Amino acid sequence: MTKGTEPTLDRLLRGTDTVRPEEELVAKLKRSADEKRPLRVKLGIDPSAPHLTFGHSVPLRKMRQFQDLGHTGVLVVGDFTRRIGDPSGRSSTRALMSQEDIERNMATYKEQAFKILDPERTEVRFNSEWLGAMSFADVIHLTAKYTVARMLERDDFAKRYAERRPISVLEFLYPLAQAYDSVAIRADVELGGADQLFNLLVGRDIQREYGQEPQVVMTVPLLLGIDGERAMSQTVGNYVGIGEPADVMYGKILSIPDTLLEPYYSFLTDVPLDDVRSEIASSPRDAKRRLARTLVGRYHGAEAAAAAEAEFDRIHVHHERPTDVKQIALDRSLLKEDGKIWIVDLLQGSGLVASRSEAKRVIQQGGVRVNEERIDSSDADIAFTAPVLVQVGKRSFVEIV
């Protein structure tokens, strides 16, 4: 390693899970500096849901580090590969998604990603550009470059095969298609979550088969969701979206278990851990509020962070009503002759629940308040005198007039 590459390499390696091979990264960085040619650093985004989350932000922040060093980030939106479905870590075949759903989900991806990335050093590409143009002969040519035996080295495939659970040929195409993305954009480095390691390594092999220098693979740890139990996922619902409103983001961050404070500070902020470890140990509540202010400030600005904190305190500390509550009119046919209304009808009429069964469930969980009084029974009748403030959970309010 040359002396000049040491600080750069230390910065890029910080917070990574795997780097393969590290010596090739050193060589690429040196050659880039000597030739004054920026590296092309790839990150693939799966448009399975409309939000980019704090989980996505971990590799996005790593890409930004490369950009700050003068390199080019290539954000590949997998609009074509999402039709196949990534089987990584799954025990069954993933459901296909329609083109309409894919387009709706990725409508704001660029806007969200540029909250982290430098637009001047970013290429946003959609892999339908090259995968959609491939003929069947091209696909045959690609599949001939990898073996079934190599595919079955993947843990999830191997486990399903051993347990005689089905693996579709379609699923074998996903790692190859993702690998061909690297060929199409001539990636020097590919970033991804730890669960993507196999796919990224396939990219090295396929680039070599197409006569390119193989990419360096860099993975980052998977971020646990706000439940502290499973990886952050919009499907599970344990996520924070980087484009979500400031008050929603603030409230979600304060809901995390204390065990997530150190990893969230480490992977989501630039705050040195040494500056917060003592606070985490002595006052997790204060450390959590500082984390929420830092992250909301990062994506919405300091003023919005202060407003979100004040609103949270207004509702959850001082038990006052929110400053801005949506108002709706009640269908008066729901009222009984005595002017009361069944709590389940009130909840459904408020629009805060999708069905009567959901209304009963949130009541049973203790998550419903009417005019700040908790409702304990789904059989309750509520005296209706407008306005009525209805609350479901910690952050959903409606005033019925």
Side-chain angles (χ1 to χ4, degrees), residues 358-384:
E358 183 183 355
K360 293 177 180 179
R361 177 174 56 78
V362 293
I363 292 169
Q364 186 178 19
Q365 293 172 345
V368 175
R369 290 178 180 270
V370 175
N371 291 332
E372 301 182 8
E373 295 291 331
R374 174 179 284 182
I375 305 300
D376 296 319
S377 171
S378 59
D379 294 326
D381 286 340
I382 306 299
F384 186 83

Side-chain angles (χ1 to χ4, degrees), residues 125-280:
R125 306 286 293 273
F126 298 88
N127 64 10
S128 58
E129 174 187 338
W130 48 85
L131 296 179
M134 294 179 78
S135 67
F136 192 60
D138 294 328
V139 175
I140 291 173
H141 183 65
L142 174 60
T143 57
K145 297 181 182 297
Y146 217 73
T147 67
V148 171
R150 292 291 303 277
M151 283 292 180
L152 289 176
E153 290 175 6
R154 232 174 81 157
D155 290 342
D156 46 3
F157 283 158
K159 185 175 181 180
R160 284 161 62 187
Y161 183 74
E163 295 173 355
R164 299 183 180 275
R165 280 182 284 152
I167 305 169
S168 72
V169 174
L170 181 69
E171 292 178 272
F172 280 175
L173 290 179
Y174 189 95
L176 295 177
Q178 182 174 334
Y180 192 79
D181 291 347
S182 296
V183 174
I185 67 161
R186 304 190 72 87
D188 294 302
V189 178
E190 182 167 12
L191 305 173
D195 62 334
Q196 290 290 308
L197 179 60
F198 179 91
N199 291 354
L200 273 55
L201 291 173
V202 174
R204 283 178 54 84
D205 295 333
I206 296 301
Q207 280 183 302
R208 195 179 290 111
E209 290 288 335
Y210 279 87
Q212 295 184 11
E213 180 180 284
Q215 63 191 14
V216 171
V217 167
M218 297 183 73
T219 65
V220 294
L222 294 180
L223 190 72
L224 284 180
I226 58 176
D227 58 358
E229 298 175 358
R230 295 165 289 185
M232 186 171 286
S233 165
Q234 290 176 75
T235 302
V236 174
N238 63 349
Y239 72 97
V240 185
I242 63 177
E244 288 193 290
D247 58 335
V248 174
M249 184 181 290
Y250 188 93
K252 285 186 174 182
I253 296 166
L254 284 199
S255 75
I256 67 172
D258 296 349
T259 53
L260 290 184
L261 279 168
E262 189 162 317
Y264 273 36
Y265 268 109
S266 178
F267 296 124
L268 302 179
T269 81
D270 295 320
V271 178
L273 278 178
D274 289 343
D275 291 356
V276 293
R277 278 201 171 106
S278 61
E279 187 175 40
I280 290 172

Side-chain angles (χ1 to χ4, degrees), residues 321-361:
R321 61 172 292 149
T323 55
D324 185 18
V325 180
K326 179 181 177 182
Q327 292 186 330
I328 66 168
L330 180 72
D331 179 355
R332 296 194 66 84
S333 67
L334 296 174
L335 294 178
K336 299 181 178 182
E337 291 183 1
D338 60 1
K340 293 184 178 181
I341 183 171
W342 182 30
I343 181 59
V344 173
D345 282 342
L346 180 65
L347 288 175
Q348 196 165 14
S350 74
L352 296 178
V353 297
S355 64
R356 288 184 171 183
S357 59
E358 183 183 355
K360 293 177 180 179
R361 177 174 56 78

